[in-house]
């Protein structure tokens, strides 16, 4: 149980990553991914990378610069411009639904204007899911200058687009619906220099 714990990615740049194992029975027509990160990186870095054999950026949360997030579905992306972080934890949730092609982005419990992305697409189920690196191939092909350095926690993946109430609940670490990937019951494997430590503060 990783309750009140974090993954510390100690090196910059880094070849380290964490492999996550999700119970995915079928392709995704909707999903929400949430996580909390703490870093002082100014360079591009990957937060959550979900690749299939057909598409390396099947789902990707990427931060090209401090005032921008990119959210990829099926190799296409939308950009969300954000205030530059003030040296604090940032909680992000990104959701997508195939039927409408609506991409939602929430930062620290607040929604950004919704955007259109990959209407009618289906996200493949046989996936390599990694924290800390951006995959340019299935489970590999890393550019270490896109690696994450810092602290990550509260990682979740659902097979639904969460309601606004649940988005806020994720930010506040309240009770959440059952997830494909849940921080409290995460099945993971550390590769390289990543340490699990207690969170320094709430």
């Amino acid at each position: 149980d990783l309750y009140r714990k974090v993954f510390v990615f100690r090196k910059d740049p880094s070849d380290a990553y964490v492999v996550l194992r999700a119970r995915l029975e079928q392709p995704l027509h909707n999903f929400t991914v949430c996580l909390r990160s703490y870093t002082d990186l100014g360079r591009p870095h990957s937060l959550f990378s979900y690749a299939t054999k057909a598409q390396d950026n099947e789902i990707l949360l990427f931060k090209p610069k401090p005032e921008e997030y990119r959210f990829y579905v099926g190799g296409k992306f939308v950009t969300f411009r954000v205030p530059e972080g003030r040296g604090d934890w940032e909680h992000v949730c990104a959701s997508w639904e195939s039927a409408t092609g609506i991409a939602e982005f929430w930062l620290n419990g607040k929604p950004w204007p919704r955007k259109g992305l990959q209407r009618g697409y289906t996200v493949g189920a046989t996936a390599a899911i990694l924290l800390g690196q951006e995959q340019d191939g299935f489970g590999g092909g890393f550019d270490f200058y896109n690696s994450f350095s810092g602290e990550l926690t509260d990682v979740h993946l659902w097979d639904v687009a969460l309601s606004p109430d649940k988005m806020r609940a994720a930010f506040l670490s309240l009770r959440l619906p059952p997830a494909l990937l849940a921080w409290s019951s995460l099945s993971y494997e550390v590769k390289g220099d990543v340490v699990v430590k207690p969170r320094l503060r709430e």
Side-chain angles (χ1 to χ4, degrees):
D1 182 1
L2 290 170
Y3 179 65
R4 290 202 172 155
K5 293 197 167 72
V6 301
F7 289 132
V8 182
F9 293 78
R10 298 193 323 155
K11 293 211 308 256
D12 173 27
S14 168
D15 58 356
Y17 59 102
V18 178
V19 181
L20 304 183
R21 294 192 178 77
R23 289 177 288 284
L24 286 156
E25 334 262 85
Q26 59 228 18
L28 299 174
H29 298 283
N30 311 281
F31 70 83
T32 305
V33 59
C34 296
L35 57 82
R36 215 179 290 274
S37 69
Y38 189 30
T39 180
D40 57 5
L41 287 176
R43 62 165 174 76
H45 55 277
S46 172
L47 293 161
F48 181 94
S49 172
Y50 176 119
T52 59
K53 291 202 165 70
Q55 175 53 254
D56 54 357
N57 293 337
E58 190 75 4
I59 302 173
L60 176 64
L61 264 180
F62 192 77
K63 205 167 180 197
K65 48 189 156 185
E67 64 281 359
E68 193 177 291
Y69 279 91
R70 275 187 199 165
F71 176 35
Y72 288 75
V73 176
K76 304 274 197 305
F77 70 88
V78 285
T79 297
F80 295 93
R81 300 191 196 295
V82 299
E84 193 162 338
R86 294 181 304 280
D88 208 344
W89 284 94
E90 288 190 1
H91 184 268
V92 294
C93 286
S95 77
W96 171 82
E97 52 185 33
S98 176
T100 58
I102 288 287
E104 269 186 40
F105 181 83
W106 292 63
L107 176 66
N108 295 334
K110 296 188 183 71
W112 255 236
R114 287 172 277 200
K115 302 198 173 184
L117 182 62
Q118 291 286 54
R119 187 175 191 163
Y121 188 78
T122 302
V123 170
T126 308
I129 308 175
L130 305 189
L131 303 176
Q133 298 286 351
E134 191 236 325
Q135 303 175 74
D136 287 326
F138 186 71
F142 308 140
D143 172 351
F144 298 148
Y145 289 94
N146 286 335
S147 62
F148 178 77
S149 168
E151 307 192 11
L152 281 180
T153 189
D154 292 348
V155 181
H156 290 83
L157 175 68
W158 290 271
D159 57 0
V160 293
L162 288 190
S163 67
D165 284 356
K166 294 286 186 284
M167 289 288 203
R168 284 187 281 269
F171 169 59
L172 296 167
S173 298
L174 302 177
R175 188 177 292 281
L176 293 166
L180 299 171
L181 281 173
W183 188 249
S184 59
S185 57
L186 205 61
S187 174
Y188 68 93
E189 188 181 346
V190 167
K191 303 279 193 181
D193 196 346
V194 182
V195 184
V196 176
K197 295 290 284 180
R199 201 180 298 185
L200 290 176
R201 60 190 183 83
E202 286 311 292

